[in-house]
Structure formats: C-alpha cells, structure tokens
Amino acid sequence: MAQKNQPSLGGYWLRENLEKGHKMRAIDYVRLLSLAAIWGASFLFMRIASPAIGAINTAFFRVFFGFIGLAVIIFFIRKSLAFRGKLSKILILGAVNSGIPFLMYSIAATLLPAGYSAILNATTPLMGAMIGFFVFSESLSIRKLVGIALGIVGITIITSVGDSNIAGNTYIGVAACIIATIGYGFAGFLTRKWITQQGGLDATLVAFGSQLGATLFLAPFLVWTIATGPKVDWLQGDIWLSLLAVGFICTSLAYILYFRLIADIGPLRSLTVTFLVPPFAVLWGYLVLDETISRGFLLGSLIVLLSVWLIVAPESQKQKIA
C-alpha cells in the first residue's frame, strides 16, 4: 500500500495483469491527482516533524494515527473484523510494509529535502522487480532489465550530483529510502503469497491490520527513544498538526483512495501515481519549506521515472525471459 509514502501493496501489482478496458472518467483523474498530492505531502509532513521530535517518534505516530483513522472508518461502516486466520501474517506485513519503511523515510526526512525522498520512493516498482526475480523466481523481460539498469544509474546521479548543502548526508538518506522501497517490494510478494493466494481478504482489513502491526512493531522503539534519547519538546502545535495529517490524511484517507482507484481503473493504471507523487512533493517542499533542487536531481529523477515506466508498463508474454 500507498501509501504509502507509496502504496503498501505496490509490489503485488507488478504482476503482468491486463487492465479492464473501460476508459478513465473525470472522477478517476481527480482521485489519481488527489492521491498523488496527498502522498506527496506526506514527505513534507515528515520533513517538518522528524527533525523536531526524531525519526522513531515520527514513524510511530504516523502508523498509530493511521491505525486509529482506519479503526474509526471500520467502526462507522460496521465492517466485521473477520481476518479468517490471517491476522498474524498481516501483522508481520505491517512491520515489513509500514513499520520499517516509515521509519526509514522519517530518518531520510532529517537528511534530505522532500523531493529527494519522493523520487527515491518512486523506485518501489524497480525494487519489486529485482526482488521478484532474485528471491521469488519471477520472470523478467529485456525491457525490465533495461529499466532496472537505468534506475540504478538515476539513483547514482541523484546521490553523487546532489545539493552541495546536503552532500555529506546524502548517502545515509538515500540508503534509508532504498531500504524502505525494498520493504515495499518484499511486502507486495508476501501479500500475494499470504493473502491473495490464500483466498484473499477485504482491502480495508488488510490496511487496518497492517497499521496495527506497524504500531506494535514500532512501540518498543518509541519507549526506548523516550527513555534514553534526547529530551523532546512535545508542545509544538505545528508538529502535532503534521503528525495528525500524515497519519489520518496521508495514511488512512490515502488507503481509501488507492483501493478505490484499483477497483475502478485497475492496478496498472493506479500505479501511475508513482510518477505523480515526486512533482507534488517538490512543489510542497518549495512552497512551504523553500526547498530547492539541483540539476543533478532533475536529471537523475527523469532517468528514474523512465526506468519505472519501463518496469510497470504492460508487455506481452513473448517479451518475458526467465
């Protein structure tokens, strides 16, 4: 899914499914752009909160408020909590898919501008393709191999030709973002194996259970950092607004929009949100925090987006290789 900073179940949708043939409606485009704007803003909110209260605290409250928001939604729509024996696996998925990635992006938010994290988040399909090939025996085409190679080149350019003001911390921030996308990639395939191929489960319950799992995973880290870490000023209104927004809007609401898009326009079209999130993240960073980007970032970003397109665009069975 998106949420994800990027959709938490993103890796699953890298399967070569065919889209349903109906045309996208105006409301579909509105939802797609809204989702991109919301997920782009998540990098801004983490960029505001993480330097002030720390990465662990930021990550915990994001998943906790996301969990609370989804719990409220489930209560009002009176959805049964029938996990059909899958709850333990969903909790694990929550740690892999939300707990670890959100912590990594919170770390990156202390080091990198919002736009940098967003474009690196867009490499989720790239990581999913690599994990599928090397770990889950998925097939790859020549085109996807080219996409993976271009993605590596793009990340290298972003890392080595970045803003001179952050150059010293770029490698750590980039590494954190890559670890996050690896988590997304693994979670996608695990979701397919543990949930989809085992009879499936309502998407709202999967999202709810995963945020519960992420909250439980991060809770010990929260206790540890409060007990042993530096003193935090918790009486900061803008920080709490950012945490509430990234939890309720960028997680709970974003999940609803994302799954609605999948139902209406299919997984492959929904994945195009990957291309739209980085421009919004750059825009919010510029408008709110006066962040700027370098030419190296622009060049690397274009290469990364091209690599993602090569990986996610549908292709025929003839184009695949083992």
Side-chain angles (χ1 to χ4, degrees):
M1 268 181 236
Q3 343 256 332
K4 70 228 110 53
N5 300 323
Q6 186 73 1
S8 65
L9 305 184
Y12 166 70
W13 304 120
L14 293 176
R15 304 288 293 171
E16 306 303 318
N17 298 323
L18 294 177
E19 296 286 12
K20 296 178 180 179
H22 70 274
K23 294 181 179 180
M24 288 180 63
R25 303 163 296 172
I27 189 62
D28 295 326
Y29 287 106
V30 170
R31 287 178 180 142
L32 191 68
L33 288 172
S34 298
L35 182 60
I38 290 171
W39 269 333
S42 69
F43 296 97
L44 167 66
F45 295 134
M46 287 188 291
R47 181 70 171 152
I48 293 172
S50 287
I53 65 172
I56 292 176
N57 297 329
T58 300
F60 173 82
F61 283 108
R62 174 175 185 176
V63 299
F64 176 71
F65 288 140
F67 163 70
I68 295 298
L70 288 164
V72 171
I73 292 169
I74 287 175
F75 174 79
F76 278 105
I77 66 177
R78 300 180 181 276
K79 183 173 291 295
S80 172
L81 296 178
F83 289 97
R84 303 205 301 270
K86 299 182 176 69
L87 180 58
S88 60
K89 292 181 178 178
I90 292 175
L91 294 178
I92 296 173
L93 282 174
V96 175
N97 183 66
S98 295
I100 295 173
F102 289 174
L103 176 58
M104 291 299 104
Y105 281 123
S106 295
I107 292 173
T110 66
L111 304 171
L112 301 175
Y116 279 61
S117 295
I119 194 63
L120 291 167
N121 178 73
T123 64
T124 295
L126 184 155
M127 295 301 166
M130 294 177 64
I131 290 169
F133 181 73
F134 289 110
V135 181
F136 294 95
S137 301
E138 295 286 306
S139 61
L140 278 180
S141 66
I142 296 297
R143 191 179 73 186
K144 285 189 176 183
L145 288 173
V146 172
I148 290 172
L150 282 176
I152 294 173
V153 171
I155 293 172
T156 301
I157 291 175
I158 291 173
T159 304
S160 59
V161 194
D163 186 337
S164 59
N165 294 325
I166 62 168
N169 297 319
T170 299
Y171 295 108
I172 297 175
V174 170
C177 291
I178 296 303
I179 292 172
T181 59
I182 290 173
Y184 288 150
F186 269 108
F189 287 103
L190 292 176
T191 299
R192 186 183 69 193
K193 181 178 180 180
W194 290 348
I195 308 299
T196 308
Q197 293 179 348
Q198 300 298 320
L201 193 66
D202 182 86
T204 306
L205 289 181
V206 176
F208 171 75
S210 68
Q211 293 310 294
L212 173 59
T215 300
L216 295 174
F217 171 77
L218 289 172
F221 295 96
L222 176 75
V223 173
W224 174 79
T225 192
I226 290 177
T228 65
K231 186 177 180 180
V232 173
D233 178 11
W234 294 103
L235 301 178
Q236 302 179 72
D238 57 335
I239 301 304
W240 283 109
L241 287 175
S242 295
L243 293 173
L244 289 169
V246 79
F248 288 117
I249 298 176
C250 301
T251 304
S252 300
L253 177 60
Y255 273 131
I256 297 172
L257 283 175
Y258 179 60
F259 286 121
R260 180 60 185 270
L261 275 172
I262 290 174
D264 290 346
I265 67 177
L268 290 178
R269 285 175 179 166
S270 299
L271 204 59
T272 57
V273 72
T274 300
F275 300 93
L276 301 173
V277 170
F280 276 106
V282 171
L283 175 63
W284 301 141
Y286 172 76
L287 292 176
V288 179
L289 301 177
D290 198 29
E291 293 181 344
T292 59
I293 57 178
S294 67
R295 293 180 180 179
F297 171 81
L298 290 175
L299 175 60
S301 299
L302 291 174
I303 294 174
V304 166
L305 292 178
L306 174 60
S307 77
V308 173
W309 177 82
L310 290 172
I311 291 170
V312 303
E315 58 189 358
S316 66
Q317 293 291 329
K318 293 180 180 180
Q319 291 177 295
K320 295 180 181 181
I321 62 173

